[in-house]
């Protein structure tokens, strides 16, 4: 059974940093693209970042480019996102989601339950 | 960036009736289109990928159609558990703006 569990969320002041993790199980993590997607309170879904199966390719939404860094440790079956220079508009529930096997251009399935990040002074 | 526009924003339908949700892309995404269902307090769940292929475990009452810029999600006979928010997503645009979601359609009980 495929399982994704996010952690690391919390309340952080504007301008500070936070690192989220996503622990994966039930599938061959090292062969799948992985994503971060966020959802601000009461709003829709916004794709944040993607990393290829081997970590060699990374792409970001314009809204986070230069501030967020996606990474993965295939030996630990874990996905990360380092979020720097956080802003109020980064406040959201952050989901990790599995992408395609070997393929960057694919749908997302499944999704974790999310971890909440609140940026506030 | 490809913009995905869903309509209507809210759809009121009675249980047992058919619901038709629309999604339009600002430029062609071929068949690289997925639909997700999200219920309150839950993560999104994949329903349809490749514009028309049901994901594992998705009931046959859910169907997707379309290609290029116009897509439709149809729920043939609404069950109580189907009332939720539905999002379309394109995964075609390489390399910038590779994944964009529509703003969602809220399907509510009439």
């Amino acid at each position: 059974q495929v399982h994704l569990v996010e952690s690391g969320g919390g309340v952080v002041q504007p301008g500070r940093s936070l690192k989220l993790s996503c622990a994966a199980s039930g599938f061959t993590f090292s062969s799948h693209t992985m994503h971060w997607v966020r959802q601000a309170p009461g709003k829709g879904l916004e794709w944040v970042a993607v990393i290829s199966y081997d970590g060699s390719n990374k792409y970001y939404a314009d809204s986070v480019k230069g501030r967020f860094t996606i990474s993965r440790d295939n030996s630990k079956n874990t996905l990360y996102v380092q979020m720097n220079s956080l802003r109020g508009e980064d406040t959201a529930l952050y989901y990790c989601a599995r992408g395609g096997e070997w393929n960057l251009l694919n749908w997302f399935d499944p999704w974790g339950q999310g971890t909440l990040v609140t940026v506030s002074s | 960036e490809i913009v995905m526009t869903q309509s209507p924003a809210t759809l009121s339908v009675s249980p047992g009736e058919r619901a038709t949700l629309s999604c339009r892309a600002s430029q062609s995404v071929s068949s690289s289109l997925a639909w997700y269902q999200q219920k309150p307090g839950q993560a999104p769940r994949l329903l349809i990928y490749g514009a028309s292929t049901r994901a594992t475990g998705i009931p046959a009452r859910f169907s997707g159609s379309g290609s290029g810029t116009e897509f439709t999600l149809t729920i043939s006979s609404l069950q109580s558990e189907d009332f939720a928010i539905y999002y379309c997503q394109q995964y075609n645009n390489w390399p910038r703006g590779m994944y964009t979601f529509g703003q969602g359609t809220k399907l509510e009980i009439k």
Side-chain angles (χ1 to χ4, degrees):
Chain A
Q1 180 183 357
V2 177
H3 208 44
L4 299 171
V5 179
E6 302 91 338
S7 61
V11 180
V12 60
Q13 293 179 328
R16 304 299 292 264
S17 300
L18 201 63
K19 187 173 185 176
L20 307 182
S21 300
C22 170
S25 60
F27 67 102
T28 305
F29 180 74
S30 59
S31 65
H32 281 265
T33 297
M34 295 295 297
H35 299 266
W36 288 100
V37 180
R38 68 185 181 183
Q39 187 169 36
K43 302 298 183 181
L45 302 170
E46 180 189 18
W47 171 75
V48 173
V50 61
I51 186 168
S52 60
Y53 67 97
D54 60 354
S56 62
N57 291 288
K58 306 173 186 181
Y59 297 94
Y60 301 91
D62 287 345
S63 58
V64 307
K65 196 173 296 182
R67 300 187 299 122
F68 288 16
T69 301
I70 190 171
S71 62
R72 65 192 297 160
D73 185 337
N74 285 347
S75 68
K76 296 182 178 179
N77 289 348
T78 303
L79 174 72
Y80 306 98
V81 62
Q82 175 70 45
M83 305 185 295
N84 298 333
S85 303
L86 283 162
R87 307 166 179 167
E89 54 265 37
D90 296 318
T91 294
L93 187 62
Y94 283 75
Y95 296 102
C96 68
R98 187 182 70 170
E101 191 169 25
W102 316 117
N103 184 7
L104 277 170
L105 294 178
N106 219 57
W107 52 93
F108 300 178
D109 181 48
W111 301 52
Q113 284 302 305
T115 187
L116 182 62
V117 173
T118 303
V119 182
S120 174
S121 54
Chain B
E1 177 182 327
I2 297 178
V3 177
M4 306 301 292
T5 303
Q6 293 185 241
S7 61
T10 303
L11 183 62
S12 300
V13 183
S14 300
E17 293 189 341
R18 173 187 297 256
T20 302
L21 289 67
S22 297
C23 175
R24 174 177 292 178
S26 59
Q27 63 189 75
S28 177
V29 299
S30 186
S31 296
S32 300
L33 191 286
W35 290 95
Y36 301 88
Q37 176 194 67
Q38 188 177 33
K39 297 179 181 179
Q42 296 186 17
R45 177 176 71 145
L46 176 70
L47 297 176
I48 301 285
Y49 62 90
S52 61
T53 303
R54 276 190 305 277
T56 302
I58 301 303
R61 64 180 181 272
F62 290 90
S63 63
S65 63
S67 65
T69 62
E70 300 284 344
F71 301 90
T72 300
L73 175 69
T74 302
I75 311 171
S76 59
S77 178
L78 280 164
Q79 307 296 302
S80 57
E81 62 266 29
D82 299 335
F83 293 95
I85 298 175
Y86 292 83
Y87 295 95
C88 64
Q89 178 214 19
Q90 68 83 17
Y91 48 91
N92 178 268
N93 192 25
W94 176 272
R96 289 178 55 83
M98 287 191 291
Y99 318 94
T100 47
F101 292 91
Q103 80 279 17
T105 290
K106 181 179 182 180
L107 182 57
E108 63 177 28
I109 300 175
K110 186 174 182 180

